[in-house]
Amino acid sequence: MNVVFFALVAVAFVVAAVRQVTWTPPSGAEDPVPPMEALGLGVVDSAESAVTLAIGLVGVMALFLGLMKVAEQGGLLRIVAKALRPLMVRLFPEVPATHPAMGAMILNLSANVLGLGNAATPFGIRAMQQLDRLNPQKGTASNAMVLFLALNTSSVTLLPTGVIALRASAGSADPAGIVPTTLFATICSTAVAILSAKLLQRYFVTPAPGSDEPAGEAGPEVADRPDGDPTQLPETTDKAEEDALPPEAGEAYPVWVSALVLASVAALIPLTVLYGRAIAPWIIPGLIVLLLGFGAAKRVRVYEEFVEGARDGFQVALRIIPYLVAILVAVGMLRESGALELLIEPLSRVTGLIGLPGEALPMALLRPLSGSGAYGVLASIIQDPAIGPDSYTGYLVSTFQGSTETTFYVLAVYFGAVQIRRIRHALAAGLCADIAGVIGAVAVVSWLYG
């Protein structure tokens, strides 16, 4: 993200400088603003709008994290984990069913399904550490590691709470309208992630311990720190702490129950495509009642847990202010300088033919690189009065954010945690999932809101 941030600023400055040198005041215009002066004003306006946006986000973020805290305390994470276990055992045949790696992966994916990103990351790193213990070739990603990372970059998402909160703060009349589109797009990306990881592993054979690595095996080196996203690595724990997983990590429903749950999720696809517009207005009121009712039925102190979760939401909203300021200023400079228009105009002539407008291109390109950067671009797009959150482009970029993952960030964090330097086909599988997510998002948003 360091390179991306500086490149955006530098390109904007150079383009504005060239326009300034060659600028002549337009005839008949009252008080024309020179390009470099417009660039400076754009920087100030972007910084102010970033803080305003974050403050407006506090209330909605607190609401959703409060609701998820109630559900989590009621055992919703445990229910999802028990439903996923039979499927996970079949997807990862090389991982023993009772190994701590299996439990950590189940909890990680369950948290991702529920939109609990803060809970998912520690479980994911723990899963990588446990998978590394099963890895005979240290420093080289195993098939299980690659598949697990591909699933992380494409995980099915039932509730993209962060994006819903951002859309609500931007004045959307239908902030939860992306729930059906996100579900469809993430199912597409997850299916492609599994297929690509399984198919590509045939061409990236893991060398036997002590043997030379075959040609074509080497992948790009992965840094052991994130690229600037606001999620931080947890502190290293000892073996006893790593093995200590919640009880739900080792439990499972009967296979028929898990099959029924998965079939129900699959059945949601045609329902969301056909009746997405009718369902969307019910989602937020229904979620509030259902999640609080679930907590009350489980005898959770719903008010106290809601307040505790809301407090976390308040902290999260404040913590993202520096990231929003950085990326909104960079994008604002790129827009005011005219550089963004120079880039988007030729590309949009091609992508516009498949339902991907030029305004959404920066989001699609930046999402695999940086979560915080993409979040800032999303905020700038839906805050633009000419676009707004409830336009076709607004729904599309919101679905991009909710249905694709920061592939390079996940590579850096998860593989860096266990010093994996040969990533084999992990990047290819993750990018295939990203592309599938974008295609799925364009297809479903075009159907519902095009």
Side-chain angles (χ1 to χ4, degrees), residues 23-264:
W23 182 72
T24 55
S27 58
E30 296 182 2
D31 297 327
V33 180
M36 195 58 70
E37 183 179 344
L39 183 64
L41 294 174
V43 168
V44 176
D45 290 341
S46 298
E48 291 179 351
S49 64
V51 177
T52 302
L53 174 63
I55 292 175
L57 190 61
V58 169
V60 187
M61 186 70 75
L63 168 65
F64 279 103
L65 289 189
L67 291 173
M68 294 311 299
K69 183 70 172 180
V70 172
E72 186 179 1
Q73 291 300 311
L76 188 58
L77 181 61
R78 175 176 180 173
I79 293 173
V80 176
K82 290 171 68 176
L84 284 178
R85 188 173 184 82
L87 175 63
M88 293 290 290
V89 170
R90 288 161 177 77
L91 281 177
F92 295 88
E94 62 271 47
V95 180
T98 58
H99 195 276
M102 184 64 72
M105 287 192 295
I106 290 170
L107 292 175
N108 168 267
L109 296 177
S110 301
N112 276 328
V113 166
L114 298 175
L116 301 173
N118 291 336
T121 301
F123 286 135
I125 294 173
R126 187 183 301 178
M128 274 294 178
Q129 292 169 338
Q130 296 294 341
L131 287 173
D132 193 51
R133 294 181 180 177
L134 299 172
N135 186 10
Q137 188 72 14
K138 303 300 182 185
T140 298
S142 65
N143 290 335
M145 287 179 170
V146 173
L147 179 56
F148 175 62
L149 186 137
L151 288 174
N152 261 271
T153 63
S154 63
S155 182
V156 173
T157 303
L158 297 179
L159 189 61
T161 52
V163 183
I164 293 175
L166 183 60
R167 287 174 52 80
S169 68
S172 171
D174 184 20
I178 62 161
V179 171
T181 60
T182 299
L183 176 62
F184 179 86
T186 52
I187 289 178
C188 292
S189 62
T190 299
V192 170
I194 296 172
L195 290 175
S196 60
K198 292 290 187 179
L199 292 175
L200 290 174
Q201 72 184 32
R202 302 177 183 179
Y203 305 99
F204 292 82
V205 181
T206 305
S211 65
D212 293 333
E213 189 173 31
E217 176 74 14
E221 295 185 358
V222 181
D224 60 356
R225 293 196 61 81
D227 67 350
D229 285 11
T231 307
Q232 296 181 353
L233 287 171
E235 296 182 359
T236 303
T237 57
D238 58 29
K239 183 179 184 301
E241 291 174 331
E242 290 174 3
D243 290 341
L245 292 173
E248 59 267 25
E251 300 177 359
Y253 289 122
V255 175
W256 68 268
V257 175
S258 298
L260 182 61
V261 172
L262 294 175
S264 299

